[in-house]
Amino acid sequence: MIYLDNAATTELCEEAREAMRPYLEEDYGNPSSIYLFAQRAKGAVEESRRKLSELMGVSPMELYFTGGGTESDNWALISGIESTGKRHIISSKIEHHAVLRSCAYLEKRGFSVTYLDVDERGRVEPAAVLEAIRDETGLISIMSANNEIGTIEPISEISEIAGERGILFHTDAVQAFGQLPLPLGKSRIDLLSASAHKIRGPKGVGLLYMRRGVKLPPYLHGGEQERGRRAGTENVAAIAGFAAAAERAFRTMKERGEKERRMRDYLIRRLTTEIPDCCLNGDPEERLPNNVNVCIRGVEAEPLLLLLDQRGIAASAGSACASGSLDPSHVILALGASREDAYGSLRLSLDERLSREDADRVVSEIKRIADYLRRE
C-alpha cells in the first residue's frame, strides 16, 4: 500500500512504541496513587510534560494533557469564552469541525460568532479579523494550518491584533504541530491545541497549551488530575508515546520537511500539468510541506478514492472527521469553488518515506482513473 492520508492519521513510530511499552506492561499503576509503584507512572507523565514544554519553548505548567485535538479545541472555545464574561467569538469558515461545531453549540447558548471569509488561497486576512472585533469580542480562534488544503495562516499577526486588545487568542495547531516551527515565543498565542496521532504518536491523546495567566475553568469535572483543570485518569502510555513522537518530529523537522516539500511540489506539478482541468487548492507557497490538494473537474472524489484503494493507494477527499458526510467540503466551498468542484477535490498527505517511484505510480493511477471516470 502507498499511504497518502497522513493528515488523517500516521503510523506509530518506533520511538513512541518503545516509550509506551513499560506503561502498557509492568508500570501500569494509576499516577494519582501515592505508593512508589504508581509514582513511576506519575513520573512518566511529568517527564513527558517537561519534554514537550522544552520542544515548544514554554513552561511545563502551561501544558495540559487531553484526549486529543478535538477535546483541546472544545475546551479552549467553550471554557475560553465563558472565562471572559463576553459573548462574541471570531473564527473562520475553514476551521476544523471541532472548532466549528463548538461555535455552533455556543450559538445555541446565546453567544454570537463571526465566521470570517478567506481568500481564494484559503488565507484569513488579519485586516478582516481587526474589522470584525466588537466590544463584546472575548475570543478569536484561527487555525495554524488548514487540514484539507494545507494553507498556513498568519497566526503571529492575528495573535498580535488579539493581544493588543486584550482578547483571548486560540489556534488549532493539530496539523502544524511537528511540521512547522511554533511561534509561541514570538507571538501572543493564549491557547494552542495539538494531537499526537498526526506526528506518528498514538491516537487518543493531545494537549492544550494555556499561556501563564490564562485561567480557563475545567472542561471535564471529577478528580484533581492535571492540576485540577482536566479530570480523568491520565493515559500514561499514550502521553509517553506523545512526547517521544514529538521529540522525533521536532528533531527531524527541517530535513523531513525539505524531503516532503520536494515530493509535494513534484506531485503538484505533474498532476496539474498532465491532467486536463486539474488545479491546485490552497496557497502554492504558504502550505504544509506534506499537503497536496487538487480539484479534478468532472471527476467525483468518492469513486476516484475507491478505485485508488483497489490499486493499493490510500488517499482522501478532505477531513477524516467528515468522511461520513455527503456534503461537499466546507473548506473548498469557502475558497469560492462550485459544489461540483468541491466534490472533485482530492487530498494527498504524504510523509518523508514516499519515493519518487511511488509518486510516479500514484500520478499514473490518478491519470488513468480520472480518464476512465470522465468517459463513464
Side-chain angles (χ1 to χ4, degrees):
M1 180 180 69
I2 300 175
Y3 184 72
L4 294 175
D5 201 16
N6 288 279
T9 198
T10 55
E11 180 185 5
L12 191 70
C13 67
E14 186 60 29
E15 293 90 337
R17 185 179 292 109
E18 288 306 309
M20 295 171 70
R21 195 182 306 279
Y23 309 102
L24 293 170
E25 297 173 356
E26 62 267 20
D27 290 334
Y28 54 82
N30 187 317
S32 295
S33 299
I34 63 172
Y35 41 82
L36 180 60
F37 173 61
Q39 286 302 294
R40 291 205 293 268
K42 178 69 171 177
V45 171
E46 295 312 317
E47 176 62 11
S48 298
R49 196 188 316 273
R50 184 194 64 78
K51 288 178 181 177
L52 282 158
S53 70
E54 286 186 358
L55 293 169
M56 297 170 69
V58 301
S59 166
M61 300 296 286
E62 295 176 302
L63 297 185
Y64 297 84
F65 290 114
T66 68
T70 292
E71 183 191 326
S72 298
D73 285 344
N74 277 246
W75 187 8
L77 268 79
I78 297 170
S79 295
I81 191 63
E82 288 176 342
S83 73
T84 69
K86 297 191 174 182
R87 309 290 293 179
H88 179 236
I89 300 164
I90 298 171
S91 192
S92 83
K93 291 181 178 178
I94 65 167
E95 299 297 313
H96 189 276
H97 284 110
V99 168
L100 293 177
R101 289 178 181 167
S102 293
C103 287
Y105 165 76
L106 288 163
E107 286 182 291
K108 290 178 181 177
R109 292 180 49 196
F111 293 85
S112 61
V113 182
T114 297
Y115 299 96
L116 297 174
D117 290 320
V118 295
D119 65 18
E120 68 280 359
R121 300 167 295 165
R123 187 176 190 270
V124 176
E125 290 296 338
V129 176
L130 182 59
E131 186 178 350
I133 292 174
R134 310 174 190 167
D135 290 342
E136 276 297 293
T137 303
L139 175 71
I140 298 171
S141 180
I142 303 294
M143 65 196 335
S144 296
N146 187 264
N147 52 302
E148 292 192 30
I149 60 173
T151 296
I152 299 167
E153 302 296 344
I155 295 305
S156 293
E157 296 172 60
I158 296 172
S159 69
E160 282 297 318
I161 291 170
E164 288 170 1
R165 288 153 184 82
I167 299 169
L168 275 181
F169 179 73
H170 165 254
T171 186
D172 177 341
V174 167
Q175 291 293 332
F177 188 82
Q179 286 281 11
L180 304 172
L182 292 168
L184 288 172
K186 300 177 182 178
S187 70
R188 299 176 73 165
I189 293 171
D190 296 303
L191 301 162
L192 178 145
S193 306
S195 184
H197 75 108
K198 308 296 187 179
I199 57 167
R200 300 190 66 187
K203 299 172 183 64
V205 63
L207 64 79
L208 180 65
Y209 160 74
M210 194 183 304
R211 185 177 58 78
R212 191 188 304 273
V214 175
K215 303 291 186 184
L216 292 200
Y219 184 65
L220 298 181
H221 302 274
E224 293 302 311
Q225 293 90 351
E226 295 301 291
R227 304 187 295 284
R229 294 273 185 97
R230 196 272 186 185
T233 301
E234 296 93 342
N235 187 342
V236 180
I239 288 169
F242 188 1
E247 282 187 312
R248 176 192 176 278
F250 278 72
R251 184 182 70 251
T252 64
M253 188 186 299
K254 187 171 186 284
E255 180 183 2
R256 176 168 47 86
E258 289 171 354
K259 289 179 180 178
E260 290 173 349
R261 284 185 191 92
R262 285 196 298 270
M263 202 58 64
R264 174 199 72 186
D265 293 344
Y266 177 72
L267 283 167
I268 290 172
R269 184 171 61 253
R270 287 204 60 193
L271 290 170
T272 56
T273 58
E274 297 179 26
I275 300 177
D277 289 324
C278 178
C279 62
L280 180 68
N281 293 318
D283 195 295
E285 301 294 335
E286 293 298 314
R287 71 185 301 123
L288 290 169
N290 69 336
N291 177 281
V292 176
N293 190 305
V294 294
C295 170
I296 305 175
R297 292 191 176 95
V299 175
E300 286 195 18
E302 184 177 4
L304 172 60
L305 293 172
L306 291 172
L307 290 169
L308 283 172
D309 184 37
Q310 291 177 10
R311 290 157 173 79
I313 298 168
S316 70
S319 172
C321 299
S323 62
S325 173
L326 296 177
D327 295 328
S329 164
H330 69 284
V331 175
I332 305 301
L333 290 176
L335 303 182
S338 67
R339 290 177 66 87
E340 181 182 5
D341 285 353
Y343 278 122
S345 293
L346 173 70
R347 182 182 70 178
L348 309 175
S349 47
L350 48 111
D351 69 12
E352 76 275 19
R353 295 172 293 179
L354 182 70
S355 67
R356 179 67 68 92
E357 180 183 8
D358 283 343
D360 288 337
R361 180 183 153 205
V362 169
V363 173
S364 295
E365 292 292 357
I366 293 173
K367 287 168 62 178
R368 185 177 298 113
I369 295 168
D371 182 62
Y372 165 73
L373 292 174
R374 280 171 168 163
R375 286 188 282 103
E376 281 295 295

